[in-house]
Amino acid sequence: MKIIVTGGAGFIGSNFVYYELAKHPEDEIICLDALTYAGNLETLADAEKNPQFTFVKGDIANRQAVYRLFERVKPDGVVNFAAESHVDRSIENPEIFLQTNVIGTSVLLDACRKYGIQRYHQVSTDEVYGDLPLDRPDLFFTEDTPLHTSSPYSVSKASADLLVQAYHRTYKLPVTISRCSNNYGPYHFPEKLIPLMIINALSDKKLPVYGDGKNVRDWLYVEDHCAAIDLIIRKGREGEVYNIGGHNERANIDVVKTILHELGKPESLIEHATDRKGHDRRYAIDPTKIHNELGWLPQTKFEDGIKKTVKWYLEHQDWWKHIISGAYQEYYHDMYSKKNVLEYAK
Ligand code: NAD
Ligand code: TYD
């Protein structure tokens, strides 16, 4: 197969590139990525040594550039990871989320119609289902849970999902959609909860926990997500949505304490920050469908995955120090001064 992987210079996309190159060495992977603040070519340095891999810099919302690429490459499949992905940024500036996540998806779908593909896969999120109450641990998101979005980010992802389903119904485009819970692991951009807390703790900076810290996320090790997508694009049924998650629910405050414990740092580093606007309370995925249909099960337990992740950040300090040395400082200062985190400028 010849697969265009969009957003492959980001967190999950790059992990997927490495997963595919190792699992299907006969496949060709073409990564299309605009290299926004979240994209990083250093992440793909090893992939670039592989003759089966090609990197193309480009914006998925640029119709001409996307059509040119499809015409040249004639892909069998497209896996769309490219997105603006940070909820806090979407609250500050929604427009780019609509541009990339909705318009970008529509351009990719049109290119797939025009040039023909065997499979278009949309990488979506459990956030399209909204949130669940903390006092109903019996409730989970299934594929039939109505879309009920909270943030501009989740609106843009749900809109893209609806467009993908419309292209299936209207044009019979062979599509699949996966909706995954929160990922963690190598190459996770430092603005997100787990890497941010590891990096701050390593520098003895304050760990800004939003609100009461009781919000619950359902954490999945990134390699398990990649394995699920690999199964869906090869064996999943056209037109179907598959939820991906591993029943690893944790309150944010407990995740942060686990990280401090792993690093031997004191809990006094925790600082409660102003809560995120519209903060979703709990996400929890029911992965029964992907398990029953495709035999997928997560391989990494949270206790092991978090240890591996902390170790990865300890061993790859150059990777994240390059990122946080530039525009990231300005982002951190702006975002966390608004959240009343006193130590942000340290
Ligand atoms: P990320 O922010 O780490 O990476 C996004 C990548 O997309 C970057 O390489 C960036 O340069 C690229 N990109 C952004 N705009 C682009 C554009 N217009 N054209 C081409 N490339 C562009 O994101 P991530 O965490 O790896 O998430 C990947 C996908 O998975 C997203 O679609 C996200 O919604 C979804 N998802 C993420 C999670 C999670 O926990 N991180 C969970 C479920 C689903
Ligand atoms: P995040 O990693 O941004 O993922 P998402 O919002 O997509 O779930 O945040 C995970 C949780 O951690 C979320 O409940 C918000 C919270 N959080 C903090 O408490 N402090 C922080 O500095 C960040 C970035 C997130």
Side-chain angles (χ1 to χ4, degrees), residues 35 60 68 85 92 119 128 142 150 207 215 260-261 263 272 319-320 331 334:
L35 296 180
I60 59 164
R68 261 201 315 273
S85 67
E92 296 300 315
R119 179 58 60 87
V128 299
T142 73
S150 313
L207 273 47
N215 302 63
L260 286 169
H261 179 78
L263 289 169
H272 284 273
W319 181 84
W320 55 263
Y331 159 81
D334 282 358

Side-chain angles (χ1 to χ4, degrees), residues 24-45:
H24 305 283
E26 71 289 357
D27 283 358
E28 250 183 82
I29 305 289
I30 301 98
C31 170
L32 172 65
D33 196 297
L35 296 180
T36 67
Y37 79 92
N40 186 350
L41 266 188
E42 284 177 36
T43 302
L44 292 172

Side-chain angles (χ1 to χ4, degrees), residues 254-311:
D254 295 331
V255 171
V256 172
K257 284 181 181 169
T258 304
I259 290 169
L260 286 169
H261 179 78
E262 282 301 321
L263 289 169
K265 298 284 184 175
E267 289 186 9
S268 56
L269 285 178
I270 293 173
E271 179 170 337
H272 284 273
T274 304
D275 208 357
R276 174 184 281 173
K277 293 185 179 95
H279 199 173
D280 280 341
R281 229 21 189 160
R282 168 176 171 250
Y283 301 143
I285 281 276
D286 176 353
T288 306
K289 178 174 173 180
I290 188 168
H291 175 59
N292 287 348
E293 278 192 25
L294 304 178
W296 177 85
L297 274 178
Q299 301 300 312
T300 302
K301 287 200 295 243
F302 185 76
E303 292 68 22
D304 302 328
I306 197 76
K307 279 193 172 60
K308 280 207 268 188
T309 304
V310 167
K311 186 162 177 280

Side-chain angles (χ1 to χ4, degrees), residues 86 127 182 191-193 208-210 217 252 276 279 336:
H86 192 33
E127 302 194 27
N182 286 61
E191 69 190 349
K192 304 285 171 55
L193 178 78
V209 172
Y210 298 166
R217 296 294 182 263
N252 293 339
R276 174 184 281 173
H279 199 173
Y336 288 88

Side-chain angles (χ1 to χ4, degrees), residues 80 101 105-106 109 120-123 157-177 239-241:
N80 181 24
N101 301 1
T105 297
S106 81
L109 291 168
Y120 173 89
H121 183 73
Q122 179 73 0
V123 180
K157 294 297 290 183
S159 307
D161 285 10
L162 292 172
L163 207 52
V164 173
Q165 287 174 319
Y167 273 60
H168 175 66
R169 164 107 187 218
T170 310
Y171 308 115
K172 309 275 179 287
L173 199 72
V175 306
T176 38
I177 297 174
E240 292 293 312
V241 173

Side-chain angles (χ1 to χ4, degrees), residues 6-13 32-40 58-61 80-85 100 123-126 153 157 180-184 187-189 191-192 225:
T6 69
F11 165 43
I12 310 174
L32 172 65
D33 196 297
L35 296 180
T36 67
Y37 79 92
N40 186 350
D59 182 343
I60 59 164
N80 181 24
F81 291 92
E84 288 293 330
S85 67
T100 290
V123 180
S124 187
T125 163
D126 59 357
Y153 165 68
K157 294 297 290 183
C180 191
S181 59
N182 286 61
N183 284 215
Y184 67 105
Y187 302 117
H188 204 176
F189 194 80
E191 69 190 349
K192 304 285 171 55
H225 187 186

